Amino acid sequence: MEHKLMCGAGKADITPPIGTILYGYAPGRPAESVGDNLEAVAIKLVSGENSALLITCTICSMNPELGARLRASAGSAAGVSSENVTVTCTHTHSGPNTSIKSGWGDVDNDYIENILIPGVTAAAAEAAEVRPAWMGVAETESDIGINRRALTEDGKITLGQNPWGPRDKRMTVVSFRDADNKCIANMVHYCCHCTASAMNKEITRDWAGVMTDMLEEETGGITGFYAGNEGDQGP
């Protein structure tokens, strides 16, 4: 049977140096160690004359301007039109500040220019090399997430855990394998903040990093976490 789908994948290290101010919770919180390296994962898909590039970065967030720069640079490296490039973040609070939020400190422009953009571009360039692929999709339920709008005894709503609140348990995995059944890449989609590490002073991809590392070890394919609409779902 003729393969109608082509796939390529790439990954790059985008870990900031020790001393980097971590984003969220408490402005001015410097990193004292690295728990696990931050990563950019790029997956390129080609079907006929159509191509797309799906990128995920293990940082907290980005503004539209930075997203546009990453899409243009990565798209050029992978041979994909920028309008067919998507970039997402996993929302770890144990990485650098890459977007503006009132009261959360200054954007780390040195990191963006010297580590993030070059890293994403390198991952995209690696993903440019595609080969025939089959795609498989499976869905399960995960209890990683819980509603984070807790109700106190005096009737107030605060940030915490609410086991009775609404949440989305669905976790989807899309896997791409070549003609020899060798895994090229995996995409994991789930809705939950990457904030299990809380206010520590360690650079880490948080809980999603543990998950993607285990899936990479199990399958041998590059694996990225593509976060869904997190809303009020925390770990």
Side-chain angles (χ1 to χ4, degrees):
M1 182 181 295
E2 180 183 357
H3 285 279
K4 296 183 179 180
L5 178 67
M6 307 283 283
C7 179
K11 182 169 67 171
D13 191 324
I14 55 170
T15 308
I18 299 297
T20 292
I21 302 301
L22 301 178
Y23 188 41
Y25 295 119
R29 178 172 52 110
E32 297 179 353
S33 62
V34 177
D36 53 283
N37 289 353
L38 304 189
E39 299 173 343
V41 170
I43 298 175
K44 179 179 177 179
L45 301 173
V46 179
S47 179
E49 297 181 356
N50 300 311
S51 61
L53 185 65
L54 310 174
I55 298 171
T56 179
C57 306
T58 53
I59 56 177
C60 187
S61 62
M62 66 179 66
N63 58 34
E65 291 77 17
L66 175 56
R69 289 186 64 191
L70 290 172
R71 288 169 56 221
S73 180
S76 177
V80 177
S81 172
S82 62
E83 64 184 11
N84 292 336
V85 179
T86 65
V87 183
T88 187
C89 304
T90 64
H91 203 85
T92 177
H93 279 277
S94 298
N97 185 347
T98 51
S99 65
I100 297 173
K101 182 176 175 64
S102 178
W104 282 28
D106 296 327
V107 171
D108 191 337
N109 289 307
D110 286 342
Y111 171 80
I112 290 173
E113 299 296 336
N114 298 314
I115 298 178
L116 179 61
I117 294 177
V120 169
T121 305
E126 184 181 352
E129 297 186 17
V130 297
R131 59 186 190 268
W134 302 99
M135 182 181 75
V137 182
E139 184 177 286
T140 187
E141 289 190 351
S142 172
D143 286 323
I144 292 174
I146 189 170
N147 187 286
R148 66 178 193 168
R149 294 301 174 188
L151 184 64
T152 63
E153 292 183 356
D154 57 359
K156 296 181 180 179
I157 296 177
T158 185
L159 193 62
Q161 294 189 348
N162 177 6
W164 303 280
R167 59 178 170 141
D168 188 349
K169 291 186 175 183
R170 293 173 298 170
M171 178 178 283
T172 304
V173 178
V174 183
S175 186
F176 303 93
R177 294 179 177 268
D178 65 16
D180 296 321
N181 203 34
K182 181 179 179 180
C183 186
I184 302 171
N186 302 299
M187 300 175 63
V188 183
H189 179 266
Y190 187 65
C191 302
C192 182
H193 285 79
C194 265
T195 52
S197 297
M199 289 176 58
N200 71 355
K201 294 183 179 181
E202 178 184 70
I203 295 168
T204 173
R205 288 170 287 150
D206 211 272
W207 65 261
V210 178
M211 175 181 64
T212 54
D213 283 349
M214 292 182 68
L215 190 53
E216 281 197 350
E217 183 178 356
E218 178 73 21
T219 65
I222 290 174
T223 301
F225 173 52
Y226 292 76
N229 294 324
E230 298 156 346
D232 284 329
Q233 190 153 303

